[in-house]
């Protein structure tokens, strides 16, 4: 009997001024910067800083393993001209034609529309996958920058999920957002 591979093929998605690509060894500096942020390590698998180079490389290898094992697609959000990493965005299939999306942007790249644009890129691509009918994302209510990016990227808030997810050792409420194939594409606005 032939073995069925769960391996996912991570595409290279480009829509200037951003590119979504696989993590590379050179992205260790991005991981170290994210680990120094007080919030990113609380809700992601980024190690809490100060992040040693070996821990940053272990994080990068985990991102590669996610595609190889069929867990999902983990992309670096990078500047299309310099290829410098600005953040991370992932699409995680959860079955029944649904996937969850998560993202973070390094502190130095915030307030430039990076999250919104990356979310538009990954969402357009994700909704083009066979049998993909719904993308979901969850944002803490206090995280206005993140939920505004989601709304600007065409996601609709569906409600508040009380006591939904552990964050930093405590259960937290989350806004739930979704985007469907029939939802209109929102053009990226680099000034937001």
């Amino acid at each position: 009997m032939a073995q069925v591979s769960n391996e996912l093929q991570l595409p290279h998605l480009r829509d200037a001024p951003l590119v979504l690509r696989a993590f590379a060894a050179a992205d260790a500096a991005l991981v170290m910067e994210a680990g120094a942020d007080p919030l990113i390590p609380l809700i992601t698998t980024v190690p809490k800083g100060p992040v040693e180079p070996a821990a940053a490389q272990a994080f990068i290898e985990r991102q590669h393993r996610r595609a190889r094992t069929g867990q999902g697609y983990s992309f670096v959000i990078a500047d299309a001209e310099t290829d410098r990493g600005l953040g991370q965005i992932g699409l995680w299939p959860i079955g029944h034609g649904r996937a969850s999306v998560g993202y973070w942007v390094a502190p130095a790249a915030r307030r430039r529309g990076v999250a919104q644009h990356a979310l538009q890129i990954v969402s357009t691509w994700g909704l083009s996958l066979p049998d993909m009918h719904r993308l979901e994302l969850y944002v803490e209510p206090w995280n206005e920058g993140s939920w505004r990016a989601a709304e600007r990227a065409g996601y609709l808030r569906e409600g508040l999920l009380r006591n939904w997810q552990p964050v930093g050792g405590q259960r937290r409420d989350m806004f739930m957002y979704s985007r469907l194939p029939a939802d209109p594409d929102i053009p990226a606005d680099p000034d937001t």
Side-chain angles (χ1 to χ4, degrees):
M1 181 194 270
Q3 183 120 22
V4 176
S5 172
N6 290 333
E7 187 168 353
L8 302 172
Q9 299 302 313
L10 191 74
H12 190 94
L13 305 173
R14 183 182 177 92
D15 186 18
L18 299 179
V19 63
L20 306 185
R21 59 164 174 78
F23 273 86
D27 295 313
L30 171 66
V31 177
M32 291 191 276
E33 181 184 355
D37 184 84
L39 300 174
I40 292 172
L42 290 178
I43 198 163
T44 71
T45 62
V46 171
K48 184 173 173 53
V51 179
E52 296 294 324
Q57 290 302 326
F59 172 85
I60 291 168
E61 178 51 38
R62 276 195 311 277
Q63 305 320 297
H64 294 171
R65 198 167 38 251
R66 290 173 184 222
R68 285 194 310 263
T69 61
Q71 290 178 306
Y73 304 88
S74 181
F75 297 93
V76 167
I77 304 167
D79 180 287
E81 284 187 30
T82 66
D83 201 39
R84 182 176 156 271
L86 306 172
Q88 184 272 343
I89 192 162
L91 186 129
W92 318 108
I94 52 180
H96 306 288
R98 298 177 12 235
S100 177
V101 178
Y103 49 91
W104 54 263
V105 174
R110 291 181 185 154
R111 293 179 221 2
R112 299 189 334 215
V114 170
Q116 173 195 343
H117 195 159
L119 192 51
Q120 288 171 302
I121 296 167
V122 83
S123 299
T124 299
W125 169 76
L127 288 169
S128 76
L129 294 172
D131 298 320
M132 186 61 63
H133 305 288
R134 176 184 171 87
L135 301 180
E136 302 172 352
L137 62 86
Y138 309 93
V139 180
E140 286 185 89
W142 65 263
N143 193 345
E144 184 176 355
S146 188
W147 58 257
R148 286 201 184 276
E151 289 174 356
R152 288 181 180 127
Y155 281 75
L156 300 176
R157 186 184 304 173
E158 293 186 337
L160 177 69
L161 301 168
R162 299 180 315 143
N163 208 24
W164 178 254
Q165 180 175 343
V167 176
Q170 297 180 1
R171 300 231 29 121
R172 303 288 181 145
D173 295 347
M174 294 283 176
F175 285 145
M176 180 181 196
Y177 282 85
S178 71
R179 182 148 174 214
L180 309 177
D183 292 342
D185 279 330
I186 309 290
D189 181 356
D191 296 326
T192 58

